[in-house]
Amino acid sequence: YYITQSQDRILGATENAGSQGRTSGTPTTFVNSITVITAELSASATTFNEGESIDFTITATNCENATTLYFSVSGFSLGPNDLEDQATTGDYRTGIVNVQNNTGTFTITAKTDDTVDEAPEKEFLVALRLDGTDGEILDHVYIKLQNVIPEE
């Protein structure tokens, strides 16, 4: 805070409005404890085929119950017909995970299509994030999606 002759302002609020303000005083110290959350992301597999799913497990520390973490999926060759949309965001590229007792899980499922893609294998990154689907990355895993060639 700062002191003027007519009023004191503490974090934007006027103290002693309409009367003589303080001309001296003890500074106020605000303490905000910061908890550092760490988390590890692991996958049930690092390669999967169209029509299959991969389960992801989060092991966190210092994470209060009902904390929301986020994940994002990115890969240049990955298209909207490769993965199922996430129920939590309605988007195949992002999702939300609720953490209980320092653990959480989510699943990514590959769509089955009857087409042969140019790339028989697509690599993408699954990132576990803090503070939103574009927030700080806590951990990540690389996954490969293999194209299933339809029988003729």
Side-chain angles (χ1 to χ4, degrees):
Y1 74 110
Y2 63 91
I3 299 172
T4 65
Q5 288 186 352
S6 62
Q7 63 186 10
D8 292 346
R9 290 191 180 272
I10 301 176
L11 297 178
T14 302
E15 183 180 330
N16 299 328
S19 65
Q20 181 65 33
R22 285 187 271 167
T23 56
S24 66
T26 305
T28 303
T29 304
F30 295 93
V31 177
N32 185 5
S33 61
I34 298 173
T35 302
V36 177
I37 295 174
T38 60
E40 182 178 311
L41 180 64
S42 59
S44 60
T46 55
T47 301
F48 70 139
N49 296 321
E50 290 180 343
E52 295 179 346
S53 297
I54 293 185
D55 297 319
F56 294 85
T57 302
I58 298 163
T59 306
T61 57
N62 299 323
C63 206
E64 292 183 16
N65 282 343
T67 294
T68 299
L69 295 178
Y70 305 84
F71 66 90
S72 63
V73 177
S74 58
F76 291 113
S77 62
L78 201 59
N81 293 322
D82 290 324
L83 300 177
E84 297 287 341
D85 287 345
Q86 295 299 318
T88 56
T89 58
D91 179 15
Y92 75 96
R93 292 194 179 268
T94 61
I96 296 171
V97 184
N98 292 312
V99 178
Q100 291 289 97
N101 299 318
N102 284 315
T103 61
T105 61
F106 63 93
T107 301
I108 292 179
T109 302
K111 289 182 179 180
T112 300
D113 60 19
D114 292 327
T115 62
V116 177
D117 294 331
E118 290 179 19
E121 187 174 87
K122 298 178 179 184
E123 186 173 64
F124 60 94
L125 175 96
V126 178
L128 179 64
R129 296 176 176 268
L130 185 64
D131 298 328
T133 55
D134 60 352
E136 175 187 347
I137 295 176
L138 297 171
D139 198 9
H140 66 277
V141 177
Y142 285 100
I143 304 294
K144 290 181 183 177
L145 172 61
Q146 295 180 339
N147 188 29
V148 175
I149 300 172
E151 295 180 17
E152 300 207 21

